[in-house]
Amino acid sequence: MDITGEYRIAAPRDTVWAALNDPEVLTLCIPGCKELTQVSPEEMAAKVALKVGPVSATFAGTVRLEDIRAPEGYTLVGQGNGGMAGFAKGRAVVNLTEDGPDTILRYEAKAEIGGKIASLGGRLIQATSRKLADEFFGKFANRLGAPAPESAALDTP
């Protein structure tokens, strides 16, 4: 499943870059985040509680930063295990572009799920993934001063 989105953030690119690399800011923005710990400059460990349809689970996993091009963007590679609920793994390419005093944040994400959570059906999983992406980037943009997303997340099967 692919999800893409674009947000205009009312802050300079260096400020947006710093926030994207700040575990405290990310903890406040990630839906259901219980814990986010910096393991190394390129890796964080996370615990996130999520509900997808009737399935609730706490996922423990890691997020690794690759292809770092400060302050232009990077690739996030993550994986999480929710026990009997299943697993999730994915990759997101995040790009930051200056637009006057604002920053345009664009992302393209691919996700893969397995286990009990995967049996819920593609439409529910896509809708939930899109909602979680919008919630994260909406909170992130608002935290940095943006009133609302320029465009919402889009998904493709």
Side-chain angles (χ1 to χ4, degrees):
M1 149 186 22
D2 295 342
I3 302 170
T4 61
E6 179 176 296
Y7 288 80
R8 174 176 296 277
I9 301 174
R13 183 167 67 171
D14 287 341
T15 301
V16 175
W17 176 258
L20 277 175
N21 289 281
D22 183 339
E24 287 183 34
V25 172
L26 296 175
T27 298
L28 295 171
C29 297
I30 296 170
C33 187
K34 302 292 182 193
E35 183 180 315
L36 187 65
T37 308
Q38 189 94 36
V39 176
S40 75
E42 294 86 25
E43 189 170 341
M44 292 176 251
K47 285 190 182 171
V48 178
L50 292 176
K51 180 173 171 60
V52 180
V55 178
S56 295
T58 297
F59 289 82
T62 59
V63 177
R64 196 173 63 254
L65 307 179
E66 297 180 349
D67 188 28
I68 300 168
R69 305 167 322 280
E72 297 171 10
Y74 52 45
T75 300
L76 292 166
V77 179
Q79 62 82 30
N81 191 324
M84 291 181 59
F87 71 89
K89 60 183 175 178
R91 163 182 298 272
V93 177
V94 178
N95 289 298
L96 303 176
T97 307
E98 292 177 312
D99 187 20
D102 297 345
T103 301
I104 305 296
L105 182 152
R106 290 182 184 92
Y107 70 91
E108 295 179 30
K110 293 183 183 294
E112 181 184 332
I113 57 167
K116 184 176 180 182
I117 207 165
S119 69
L120 296 174
R123 294 180 112 171
L124 177 60
I125 299 299
Q126 282 184 335
T128 301
S129 297
R130 184 176 348 109
K131 177 181 168 263
L132 292 171
D134 274 341
E135 189 175 334
F136 170 78
F137 286 109
K139 283 182 178 179
F140 183 81
N142 286 336
R143 182 156 188 80
L144 295 176
E150 184 168 274
S151 63
L154 307 171
D155 60 0
T156 56

